[in-house]
Amino acid sequence: MSQRVVVIGAAGQVGVDLMDYLRGITPPGGSSKWSPAGTAANSASWTAVGITRAQLDLTVTDSIEGVLGGLRPDVVVNLAAYTAVDRAESEPATAQRINTVAVGELSRVCESLGAHFLTVSTDYVFDGRSAEPYDETALPHPQSVYGASKRDGELLCRPDDTIVRTSWVMGVRARNIAHIVAQRAASNEPVRFVTDQIGTPTMAADLALCVMALMERRPGGVVHVANTGVASWFDVASFVAMHEGRSADFVSPIVTADLDPQPAAARPAMSALAMRRWEELGYVATPHWHDAMSRLLEARRDA
Ligand SMILES: NC(=O)c1ccc[n+]([C@@H]2O[C@H](COP(=O)([O-])OP(=O)(O)OC[C@H]3O[C@@H](n4cnc5c(N)ncnc54)[C@H](OP(=O)(O)O)[C@@H]3O)[C@@H](O)[C@H]2O)c1
């Protein structure tokens, strides 16, 4: 018998890819060669219900119990979030309501319904002062309202809940650095990107497949998930520009202090994630971000 999963945030950039996989479709940019367990994802074992803000507004915490209770889930995946990192500095109450209070309520309701709760968090829970990628044992110390709201949400989860921390997420069906640089490459308008913010780029389709594997496994606790390989935003932009036929000097290197205006939110200088638990769980290493980004750019071209 299939299990019922409710995906909250089903229209977001990770949500659309996860819903495709759950319906047995490889989303645009999804890998045809790689999978977390080395075998194809088994969509047949799931009945998926995608929820958007129209069906459940997470700022209205009181409505969570009624909506989820009516859907009788075995697993609830929360991909919805207040993700406007800079705007969160001037809207801390809204960020807290969606990223903290609602996550705590989702965890509580899942426990009362006997459902497993999986929620997605961020590399921005770290302060960026580490010289090495952060594994799951590293101590969070957020530097922004967004990072703090996500960390506070993690702290309201129960030990059995699974918290997937990811970073620098890019989907085919969303507007992100890949699309911006590809458009600028097409119109031959050079760009500038920072060399002093380092992270692990993550393609939404690959993350969605990892989430699907973890939904089945239900490991509980924090699991870091990203593509393999570490990069700066300059590296990411340069890769996109060269893939789109521009020369190496199309992207100019700058540092964060050069940005004008300065972004409202502080970002960690180094927030790359090490996937220690993913390895311990015996999964196959995720594809390198070069491979994943190439797939994204090809899919974007085909769209
Ligand atoms: N993007 C990144 O670089 C990144 C990095 C690290 C971690 N993450 C985390 O990864 C997860 C997925 O991110 P994503 O990139 O897929 O985000 P996204 O594309 O911004 O999607 C977020 C979704 O949340 C929904 N949402 C926002 N406010 C809501 C509310 N009040 N009630 C119900 N739904 C609401 C949005 O719906 P509307 O479209 O209707 O607003 C949207 O569909 C999030 O937890 C995010 O914090 C993302």
Side-chain angles (χ1 to χ4, degrees), residues 12-14 53 56-58 79-81 83 120-121 146 150 166 169:
Q13 63 175 343
V14 182
R53 192 197 293 238
L56 176 61
D57 182 343
L58 292 177
L79 300 169
T83 53
V120 176
S121 190
Y146 167 75
K150 295 291 283 185
T166 190
V169 178

Side-chain angles (χ1 to χ4, degrees), residues 79-112:
L79 300 169
Y82 183 106
T83 53
V85 176
D86 289 312
R87 190 151 32 95
E89 297 295 313
S90 54
E91 293 183 352
T94 312
Q96 276 275 329
R97 201 145 187 85
I98 297 167
N99 295 347
T100 308
V101 180
V103 171
E105 179 63 3
L106 286 167
S107 174
R108 187 194 71 73
V109 169
C110 284
E111 181 176 37
S112 74

Side-chain angles (χ1 to χ4, degrees), residues 94-180:
T94 312
Q96 276 275 329
R97 201 145 187 85
I98 297 167
N99 295 347
T100 308
V101 180
V103 171
E105 179 63 3
L106 286 167
S107 174
R108 187 194 71 73
V109 169
C110 284
E111 181 176 37
S112 74
L113 296 174
H116 183 70
F117 181 50
L118 184 155
T119 192
V120 176
S121 190
T122 173
D123 55 329
Y124 284 7
V125 300
F126 295 117
D127 65 17
R129 292 183 197 130
S130 171
E132 298 296 322
Y134 291 94
D135 72 20
E136 293 85 351
T137 63
L139 205 61
H141 184 217
Q143 300 296 293
S144 62
V145 167
Y146 167 75
S149 69
K150 295 291 283 185
R151 174 59 182 156
D152 290 346
E154 292 181 357
L155 291 170
L156 291 181
C157 289
R158 293 164 300 129
D160 287 351
D161 300 337
T162 301
I163 298 165
V164 173
R165 277 199 204 122
T166 190
S167 73
W168 294 21
V169 178
M170 298 163 222
V172 174
R173 292 168 285 185
R175 185 155 171 82
N176 51 52
I177 180 175
H179 299 272
I180 292 165

